[in-house]
Amino acid sequence: MDGLEASEILLEMALDSKQIWIRMITVAHFNHDGRMTSIQAFITENTAQKYTEDKLNETNRQMRLLLEASELGTWDWNIPADINKVNKKWCDMLGIEFEYVETSVNYFRQLIHPADRSHVERDLAKHLQGLTDAYTTSYRMKHADGHWVWIETYGKVVERDNSGRALRLAGTHGILPTDGSTVARAKAKTITVFYQ
């Protein structure tokens, strides 16, 4: 049976005190008896791509460490697809099992306290329309065990289509400290909005 087998390796080489990366792809061709008939090798210099990959990996690692240290939950909403991805910390804040979290925005909306929904929706609409630089607001979300958790959220539209319509919104959630002043300010904002 005729066939081929391919492999790829990445090699680090030192040339005159300069370090370079080489990518080598080999393809072995076999005839119907399974005997190798030829080998082809493609070698390309890959230093720039390796550098970019390393920088990207380091940036991702740094971002993960910063988010872990800050105790923030993250969310990333693909608006046209109605998929909102969250991290484990976001789920932990609300006592939700990460493996079972729903991704639709309607699920997230139902977790918002009824008295806070109108100002959350209004602030969100303003930002999606491009009327604000960022989406930032405080509100209550229902914890899985039934109590309400004060959340402060910060996000931005990170992608728009050619006509300016928001396609993707991403941001963070943080639990507001339970000291009187922080929650009192958030409650005052909610009450003010509720009665407008």
Side-chain angles (χ1 to χ4, degrees):
M1 176 174 229
D2 292 340
L4 59 90
E5 184 177 312
S7 66
E8 180 178 346
I9 59 171
L10 194 59
L11 303 169
E12 182 180 15
M13 298 178 68
L15 284 175
D16 300 327
S17 74
K18 181 181 174 187
Q19 211 169 5
I20 64 168
W21 287 89
I22 303 292
R23 180 178 304 272
M24 183 170 70
I25 301 171
T26 57
V27 180
H29 298 267
F30 298 90
N31 66 15
H32 63 278
D33 294 331
R35 292 167 67 194
M36 187 182 327
T37 57
S38 65
I39 296 177
Q40 293 176 315
F42 306 93
I43 298 175
T44 56
E45 195 269 332
N46 201 53
T47 305
Q49 183 177 343
K50 177 70 171 137
Y51 174 79
T52 302
E53 288 173 5
D54 288 349
K55 290 300 272 182
L56 184 58
N57 287 336
E58 179 57 29
T59 300
N60 286 339
R61 181 178 172 277
Q62 183 180 18
M63 184 59 68
R64 276 193 311 274
L65 292 172
L66 289 170
L67 286 171
E68 286 174 19
S70 68
E71 303 252 332
L72 293 174
T74 62
W75 48 269
D76 182 357
W77 180 26
N78 177 329
I79 299 167
D82 189 28
I83 296 173
N84 193 10
K85 294 181 181 177
V86 298
N87 69 352
K88 186 173 181 327
K89 182 62 182 172
W90 189 98
C91 292
D92 291 346
M93 290 178 184
L94 300 173
I96 299 169
E97 294 289 330
F98 179 70
E99 295 78 21
Y100 303 110
V101 70
E102 292 183 41
T103 61
S104 78
V105 171
N106 285 333
Y107 170 73
F108 296 100
R109 284 187 178 125
Q110 76 181 12
L111 295 175
I112 298 171
H113 193 285
D116 299 338
R117 281 191 195 127
S118 63
H119 89 263
V120 169
E121 294 290 333
R122 188 193 69 237
D123 292 348
L124 178 60
K126 282 182 182 178
H127 184 63
L128 292 176
Q129 294 167 15
L131 302 176
T132 60
D133 292 333
Y135 170 58
T136 180
T137 191
S138 301
Y139 52 95
R140 290 163 287 185
M141 293 187 83
K142 193 168 196 168
H143 193 277
D145 70 9
H147 73 276
W148 295 98
V149 179
W150 278 97
I151 298 288
E152 184 169 44
T153 193
Y154 178 87
K156 279 188 161 192
V157 170
V158 294
E159 187 177 343
R160 293 186 182 273
D161 65 13
N162 291 338
S163 66
R165 188 177 62 126
L167 298 175
R168 190 171 175 193
L169 181 70
T172 58
H173 270 189
I175 293 180
L176 284 173
T178 54
D179 69 4
S181 62
T182 307
V183 173
R185 283 195 306 274
K187 284 180 181 176
K189 180 180 177 185
T190 300
I191 291 167
T192 303
V193 170
F194 188 70
Y195 287 108
Q196 286 179 346

